[in-house]
Amino acid sequence: MSYTIAISPLSWVSVEKAAAWHEVVAASTEHDLPGEQPPSLKQVQAQLTTGGLDSRRLLWLATGPDGAVEGVAGLRLFDSPGREHLSELELYVHPDRRRRDVGSQLLAQAVFAARVEQRRSMVGVAADGGPGAAFCEAHEFRRVLTFIHLLLDVAVADTRAASAAPPGYALVTWTGTVPDDLAGAFAAAKNAMNDMPTGEMDYGEQHWDVERVRAMARVLADRGDILLTVAALHGNVMAGFTEIVIRAGEQRRALQYDTAVVPEHRGHGLGMWLKAAMVRRLRAEHPGITEIETDNAQDNVHMLAVNQRLGFREHRRSHEYQLDVQAGTR
């Protein structure tokens, strides 16, 4: 008897469906990334039910003959100017249900949807040397960027750079949404992210304004996450910033979000100063957080050097893969 898999769209995320999705993601993480802490059910549920910034998400479940959810896929469709061509794939198959064409059928559904949405490119991340990387290569995805993932032990981080401000600069901090009097300067500084290394990825550009930075903070707040920002002011100009997110219910690890220094203010040690000040802030305000995770493109040698000076150490590697949606897959 043939093995039949049913692929169905998930238009409404019930508690039961979220739990099934989480079970697949958690089992895949534990199997494919030994030692990595999988996301909690609360974190997965928040991701599935909270709208993303300038994007929307399509979801599918793959169900086996016994009614069990064997795989899940999500396709994020970006809608902001400069990124309307892009889609981002998230796909997991339960380790006990692999080698049954589940992943290929989920991918086929996602590719069809991307074509309908007139997307040019589909990108996704897979761990170096893992089954996800082999899957991507077997389905005509092209490796376009390598990420180095790093971990920092907060207790032993070298924060001496935070002891004195570079001449002419002042430190400001906030939690959640940027204060009104800093919003315009912060939005301008955010646009410095557009020169980060993206390898051969068809990434496009993100354009930040006051409403968009506020919208990003709302997305994180709706998920129950805590957003911490430390920034450098030079007069009325925001010269740089760094962001940390503590996910809802997280007891141990914080995630590094954006860090950027405006081009005109580079060469003054602002990146190191800001990140060291953030570590000191974490120690004071969130003593239960013991480590920070970040990732840098392999080509981003400057930020890698800053992170290594602070005490970050390489944890693992992953690769960004990209598919020409119109060309299709095998």
Side-chain angles (χ1 to χ4, degrees):
M1 185 175 68
S2 62
Y3 192 83
T4 304
I5 302 163
I7 308 292
S8 57
L10 182 59
S11 56
W12 179 70
V13 183
S14 65
V15 173
E16 294 76 17
K17 296 298 186 185
W21 190 292
H22 172 258
E23 182 179 354
V24 172
V25 173
S28 296
T29 302
E30 291 169 353
H31 182 273
D32 299 339
L33 297 171
E36 279 293 302
Q37 180 180 347
S40 68
L41 172 58
K42 184 176 181 179
Q43 289 163 355
V44 167
Q45 190 166 22
Q47 180 188 19
L48 294 176
T49 58
T50 304
L53 179 65
D54 297 333
S55 64
R56 50 201 166 89
R57 186 179 283 113
L58 305 178
L59 307 171
W60 296 272
L61 298 178
T63 307
D66 60 357
V69 175
E70 303 192 351
V72 299
L75 187 68
R76 186 179 179 188
L77 301 167
F78 296 92
D79 295 326
S80 59
R83 304 186 84 195
E84 306 99 324
H85 65 284
L86 188 62
S87 59
E88 184 177 61
L89 178 69
E90 174 187 13
L91 191 154
Y92 297 92
V93 177
H94 196 289
D96 295 340
R97 305 295 179 111
R98 293 177 180 174
R99 304 296 180 186
R100 299 176 181 180
D101 207 34
V102 177
S104 296
Q105 292 193 44
L106 283 167
L107 176 60
Q109 186 65 60
V111 169
F112 176 78
R115 288 175 178 162
V116 170
E117 294 284 344
Q118 299 183 330
R119 303 296 154 146
R120 182 172 72 224
S121 298
M122 179 185 293
V123 296
V125 176
D128 180 51
F135 177 84
C136 287
E137 290 164 5
H139 289 83
E140 299 182 351
F141 283 77
R142 184 167 53 92
R143 185 189 294 184
V144 291
L145 191 63
T146 294
F147 291 106
I148 300 176
H149 297 251
L150 306 107
L151 283 178
L152 176 69
D153 184 336
V154 172
V156 301
D158 183 356
T159 62
R160 288 174 293 178
S163 299
Y169 295 92
L171 201 69
V172 291
T173 67
W174 65 87
T175 300
T177 305
V178 59
D180 290 346
D181 61 328
L182 296 174
F186 182 49
K190 270 279 193 176
N191 285 301
M193 293 295 298
N194 279 322
D195 65 0
M196 67 180 180
T198 56
E200 300 176 45
M201 185 166 55
D202 189 12
Y203 185 76
E205 286 193 351
Q206 299 189 71
H207 303 284
W208 293 92
D209 56 22
V210 170
E211 178 50 38
R212 192 161 190 262
V213 297
R214 289 173 175 159
M216 182 72 256
R218 285 196 297 270
V219 167
L220 294 170
D222 288 346
R223 293 178 186 169
D225 298 344
I226 299 170
L227 171 63
L228 305 175
T229 307
V230 174
L233 286 180
H234 187 268
N236 294 324
V237 174
M238 191 167 291
F241 66 91
T242 188
E243 299 168 315
I244 285 285
V245 168
I246 303 172
R247 292 177 296 179
E250 183 61 57
Q251 301 296 318
R252 178 171 61 92
R253 182 179 294 183
L255 302 180
Q256 177 75 63
Y257 266 43
D258 290 346
T259 298
V261 175
V262 174
E264 295 79 8
H265 294 272
R266 293 172 184 169
H268 301 288
L270 294 183
M272 185 67 183
W273 178 52
L274 289 167
K275 291 174 79 76
M278 177 64 84
V279 172
R280 288 192 175 181
R281 184 179 179 191
L282 271 179
R283 289 173 180 168
E285 298 178 13
H286 300 277
I289 297 297
T290 59
E291 60 186 16
I292 302 171
E293 179 180 6
T294 190
D295 61 71
N296 298 123
Q298 188 178 33
D299 295 340
N300 195 350
V301 293
H302 174 72
M303 192 54 67
L304 280 168
V306 168
N307 284 330
Q308 288 163 357
R309 282 178 55 206
L310 193 61
F312 279 92
R313 295 293 177 263
E314 184 172 338
H315 174 48
R316 60 184 180 88
R317 296 194 177 204
S318 66
H319 306 287
E320 190 92 32
Y321 286 88
Q322 180 172 295
L323 177 70
D324 179 347
V325 171
Q326 301 308 317
T329 70
R330 285 194 292 269

